Amino acid sequence: MEYQLQVERNIETLKKDLPTLFEQDISYDIYTQNIYFQDPVNKFKTKFNYRIIFWTLRFHARLFFTQIYFDLHDVNQSAEDIILAKWTVRGVLRVPWKAKIFFNGYSTYKLNKDGLIYEHIDTWDRKPGEILQQFFRKGGEI
């Protein structure tokens, strides 16, 4: 019962935090101290480094984009020890040709016996190089 309450708390926290991750910091109390994070360009451990990646995302969002959005489509418990979040990142780069960035992905969060998140793996629908190529195209609607 306690475990499932923590899982539900995690889901509610993710639903609240993820849509605004480019604007404000997330809550870190649902993660273990030694959380492992991996996406197609980063890989590291510990909550300190996890905090840095979110700070870096906000910093780069403000520096390089006039608009940037993290559209959260769904967050659910896909297995007893897994939470899955499906999302889209889209934005307008701060360049004269107003290049647009757009990619879909999902985050897989693995839970320990206490229901805390000990692993966060992001999967993108395209390679980082393909996303980078979007920076050089003239923008349209996002």
Side-chain angles (χ1 to χ4, degrees):
M1 186 65 175
E2 193 75 28
Y3 178 86
Q4 196 56 40
L5 286 173
Q6 181 62 47
V7 172
E8 290 168 19
R9 183 170 166 251
N10 294 347
I11 290 171
E12 288 309 308
T13 300
L14 291 167
K15 284 181 179 179
K16 178 181 72 67
D17 285 351
L18 294 178
T20 61
L21 68 82
F22 290 120
E23 299 147 32
Q24 62 188 28
D25 208 2
I26 65 165
S27 306
Y28 295 99
D29 57 338
I30 63 172
Y31 304 96
T32 63
Q33 200 59 41
N34 208 30
I35 182 161
Y36 173 77
F37 175 82
Q38 181 179 329
D39 70 13
V41 294
N42 298 292
K43 188 187 297 190
F44 55 80
K45 265 192 150 171
T46 77
K47 197 183 283 190
F48 178 78
N49 290 327
Y50 198 65
R51 292 178 80 106
I52 288 173
I53 198 75
F54 283 99
W55 179 89
T56 304
L57 284 171
R58 287 190 309 280
F59 178 78
H60 287 126
R62 290 183 184 123
L63 187 63
F64 296 118
F65 292 88
T66 58
Q67 299 173 51
I68 189 159
Y69 305 97
F70 189 95
D71 300 324
L72 184 62
H73 306 299
D74 189 33
V75 180
N76 64 64
Q77 185 176 4
S78 62
E80 185 178 343
D81 63 341
I82 294 176
I83 295 173
L84 194 63
K86 296 177 184 169
W87 44 263
T88 299
V89 171
R90 59 190 174 92
V92 180
L93 277 158
R94 196 179 300 278
V95 291
W97 58 93
K98 295 180 171 49
K100 306 273 189 291
I101 185 174
F102 180 96
F103 65 98
N104 296 298
Y106 61 91
S107 300
T108 304
Y109 300 95
K110 291 190 180 174
L111 311 173
N112 69 10
K113 62 178 177 52
D114 298 318
L116 294 174
I117 298 169
Y118 73 88
E119 184 177 279
H120 172 178
I121 307 288
D122 277 353
T123 304
W124 302 350
D125 70 346
R126 56 196 85 184
K127 295 180 173 127
E130 292 174 43
I131 295 169
L132 191 59
Q133 287 175 357
Q134 295 176 14
F135 291 20
F136 304 104
R137 295 186 195 125
K138 186 169 169 55
E141 291 296 311
I142 61 165

